[in-house]
Amino acid sequence: MFIVLEGIDGTGKSTQSKRLAEYFRAQGKTVTLSREPTDGPWGTLLRKSAETGRLSPEDELQAFLNDRKQHVDELIKPALAAGHVVILDRYYFSTMAYQGARGFDPFLIRKDNEAFAPVPDLLLILDLDVDTAHARIGSRGDTANEFEQRANLARCREIFLSLKDEPFVKIIDATSSADEVTQSVLRAVSSFTSKLP
Ligand code: TYD
């Protein structure tokens, strides 16, 4: 099973993906939990660029693709082949949203990614209005980096929400408390697993 959590910065993806991993582990399942950008060389470069200045749009897009190709080959595909539950905190839908907000066509980004990256069984989009997301980024003691500027997040949110009618997508309202969001996440996952043969 392959589950991806997405959403703009400040929606609580990392908390919820850890809790989801715990939920499956408590059922005795083997879980591979990972994130993008990864901790590999391309991901490290990209994280650094959020603080020191973004790469050119073309170089940035290419770096996210390079990071993902490595992630797919070295971790995602082997884990799926071994029968693990794979949970990702961000994937190519973030490229559609963030590099889409930078001017690239989200549908072309999707096509290029789906040429090598497996499509998840379930995509949970944690949705939050931009003001609340911004306030949460501020309350973690962070100042919004270049990826997290308000206008940018507004466009990213729009692109994420444009996926809402896809059969494998579930929009999760991330406004309420972390515990309530976890309940919504688990409901979405149970509803998906109950339909499996
Ligand atoms: P993020 O998950 O927020 O990392 P951290 O929790 O360490 O801050 O990812 C960093 C930024 O990378 C985030 O603002 C979104 C951006 N991003 C893209 O622009 N494109 C992508 O394809 C991915 C995966 C992330």
Side-chain angles (χ1 to χ4, degrees):
M1 199 186 318
F2 184 16
I3 303 178
V4 173
L5 284 90
E6 289 278 13
I8 58 173
D9 299 86
T11 49
K13 292 176 302 301
S14 60
T15 304
Q16 298 302 332
S17 46
K18 283 179 200 134
R19 289 184 179 183
L20 189 56
E22 281 317 309
Y23 164 82
F24 282 113
R25 286 189 183 119
Q27 294 178 358
K29 302 234 169 30
T30 307
V31 177
T32 292
L33 170 64
S34 189
R35 64 170 187 171
E36 293 187 3
T38 69
D39 296 319
W42 292 104
T44 304
L45 173 81
L46 285 158
R47 266 172 217 287
K48 220 181 285 163
S49 79
E51 308 306 327
T52 55
R54 288 178 74 168
L55 307 176
S56 73
E58 291 73 21
D59 287 352
E60 183 181 83
L61 177 63
Q62 191 57 50
F64 277 112
L65 282 174
N66 294 347
D67 188 42
R68 183 160 307 119
K69 281 187 177 138
Q70 200 166 15
H71 201 201
V72 165
D73 287 344
E74 293 177 9
L75 189 127
I76 298 172
K77 280 189 173 168
L80 289 171
H84 298 185
V85 175
V86 176
I87 300 172
L88 295 188
D89 173 353
R90 294 196 187 279
Y91 195 35
Y92 62 84
F93 310 97
S94 278
T95 317
M96 290 174 67
Y98 286 80
Q99 281 58 57
R102 239 186 151 183
F104 294 100
D105 178 349
F107 294 96
L108 282 180
I109 293 175
R110 180 174 183 178
K111 194 167 146 271
D112 289 347
N113 275 273
E114 288 180 353
F116 70 90
V119 179
D121 299 306
L122 186 60
L123 168 59
L124 303 173
I125 298 176
L126 304 194
D127 181 53
L128 192 60
D129 70 88
V130 171
D131 289 330
T132 312
H134 232 232
R136 287 192 191 171
I137 295 166
S139 70
R140 334 192 260 233
D142 298 346
T143 43
N145 66 37
E146 290 195 44
F147 286 91
E148 297 165 342
Q149 298 305 320
R150 206 182 170 294
N152 190 48
L153 289 187
R155 178 69 188 125
C156 290
R157 182 187 187 204
E158 244 173 50
I159 298 173
F160 280 131
L161 289 178
S162 74
L163 291 162
K164 69 178 175 11
D165 295 327
E166 299 275 339
F168 64 105
V169 173
K170 177 84 189 146
I171 308 287
I172 306 275
D173 180 2
T175 322
S176 48
S177 70
D179 287 349
E180 285 171 290
V181 176
T182 304
Q183 290 313 310
S184 307
V185 165
L186 295 182
R187 266 198 303 275
V189 168
S190 304
S191 146
F192 169 74
T193 50
S194 69
K195 286 177 202 131
L196 292 176

